[in-house]
Amino acid sequence: MTPLLAAVDTFADRLRTLPQSRLSRGAAAEALALARELAARAQRIEEPGRGEPREMPEAGMFAVADQVAVAGHDLAEALAAGGGGATGVQVAEAVGLIEEAARRCGL
């Protein structure tokens, strides 16, 4: 889980340092999309067969870093609890998603 937690915490910390102008030009939307994807992955592991995952609400551009952090840590917890098998692959995929989002945000 260490690579996932490190990646999500680093990304969230970088988001927290961005000025409002950068957040409003797309970084906040990109980060929210990532948070929603990480949350959906965690829900699929924790509640298999439940159907469509609940969508993380938009809480505003200044909260998006915390939303990313919470969703990433939730996913790490779900994976650590043994959810879904192929944990190493799922960690690597999540880290890849975070890295891609960071690139798209210019971080």
Side-chain angles (χ1 to χ4, degrees), residues 7-94:
V8 78
D9 288 342
T10 298
F11 183 57
D13 288 343
R14 288 179 179 166
L15 284 169
R16 288 182 186 104
T17 67
L18 291 180
Q20 181 176 355
S21 59
R22 290 256 324 262
L23 289 169
S24 65
R25 284 193 311 255
E30 184 66 44
L32 179 59
L34 173 66
R36 286 176 171 167
E37 178 59 28
L38 296 176
R41 287 173 182 239
Q43 288 177 53
R44 284 188 209 104
I45 293 168
E46 293 172 337
E47 301 169 350
R50 184 180 188 278
E52 197 66 27
R54 295 171 305 282
E55 185 175 87
M56 181 175 281
E58 184 174 345
M61 74 173 78
F62 298 114
V64 75
D66 293 329
Q67 288 179 293
V68 167
V70 167
H73 281 258
D74 283 352
L75 178 57
E77 264 311 301
L79 290 169
T87 301
V89 172
Q90 291 177 319
V91 168
E93 287 176 357

Side-chain angles (χ1 to χ4, degrees), residues 11 15 18 22 26-31 99-107:
F11 183 57
L15 284 169
L18 291 180
R22 290 256 324 262
E30 184 66 44
E99 290 171 349
E100 283 298 313
R103 274 192 281 282
R104 286 190 294 271
C105 291
L107 301 175

